[in-house]
Amino acid sequence: MLALACATVVAHAAEPAATAAPDPAKGAALSASVCAACHTNDGSRGVAANPIIQGQHADYLIKQLEEFKAGKRDNPVMKGMAAPLSEADMRNVAAFYASKQAKPGFAKNKDLVASGEKLYRGGSAERGVPACSGCHGPNGAGIPAQYPRLAGQHADYVEAQLTAFRSGARHNNPVMTAVAAKLSDREIKAVADYVAGLR
């Protein structure tokens, strides 16, 4: 009986502690002190070179922070910001941004929108380019963890990321690297502008 009791205690001790639920209030404090300078306090429409993270999937934000911290996604500024964050910090700040309602954006170039929409919705079968909507959704809502919400994202940021995937400078998603490798500069601009106005 004593052996059984000891075995039970050892088994429970070996189980990992339950992960605490994310705390958006702690995430808000972290956002104000660390993230706001580049992403604005609520992750909304700041500088076009930085992504809008307001309304982004928490799982996706956590994945990106982990990859910045580990060096899998290369960005010296974000690596420095992510380095001191604990897992709990990442969950908290991601929950805070995910809890916000993303504001709509607008396409800027009417000459590119139609071709951007065609590529986003239908891809290019003859060139082996899948439709962006297959992973990011018809309305740009994305698929948590793997594919981000794109609707309303800054066109400049999307263009920069697609270009980085195409060149190999960004290499943390093999699917996106393969897709971007088949896109021309004009197609990248067109898709980026289209998703900026997607709702």
Side-chain angles (χ1 to χ4, degrees):
M1 188 73 130
L2 181 59
L4 180 58
C6 288
T8 302
V9 169
V10 169
H12 285 297
E15 291 177 8
T19 303
D23 185 341
K26 288 182 179 175
L30 190 58
S31 167
S33 65
V34 178
C35 313
C38 295
H39 296 285
T40 72
N41 193 41
D42 64 356
S44 62
R45 309 195 73 77
V47 178
N50 299 324
I52 298 165
I53 53 178
Q54 181 181 61
Q56 190 56 268
H57 302 296
D59 291 344
Y60 182 78
L61 292 174
I62 292 166
K63 178 181 183 284
Q64 298 312 302
L65 287 170
E66 289 172 344
E67 291 180 354
F68 282 127
K69 185 172 182 168
K72 187 173 180 184
R73 184 169 174 190
D74 187 27
N75 181 302
V77 172
M78 281 305 302
K79 184 172 176 112
M81 295 292 128
L85 299 180
S86 68
E87 288 181 27
D89 290 336
M90 291 181 194
R91 286 194 309 274
N92 293 339
V93 79
F96 168 71
Y97 286 121
S99 73
K100 301 294 174 193
Q101 180 68 37
K103 296 173 182 149
F106 302 93
K108 297 177 195 170
N109 189 331
K110 65 180 182 178
D111 298 330
L112 292 178
V113 169
S115 59
E117 180 178 19
K118 184 178 178 184
L119 200 56
Y120 185 89
R121 298 206 176 278
S124 173
E126 63 273 10
R127 290 178 27 239
V129 177
C132 309
S133 62
C135 294
H136 294 283
N139 63 353
I143 299 172
Q146 200 60 29
Y147 296 102
R149 179 183 192 284
L150 291 180
Q153 186 57 265
H154 290 304
D156 292 353
Y157 178 76
V158 174
E159 181 180 350
Q161 296 312 300
L162 286 171
T163 302
F165 277 124
R166 185 178 65 186
S167 72
R170 181 170 173 185
H171 47 82
N172 67 326
N173 187 311
V175 172
M176 285 305 306
T177 299
V179 170
K182 299 174 184 177
L183 299 177
S184 69
D185 287 349
R186 183 174 171 80
E187 288 170 327
I188 286 174
K189 281 184 180 299
V191 167
D193 198 52
Y194 177 69
V195 299
L198 193 57
R199 298 167 192 220

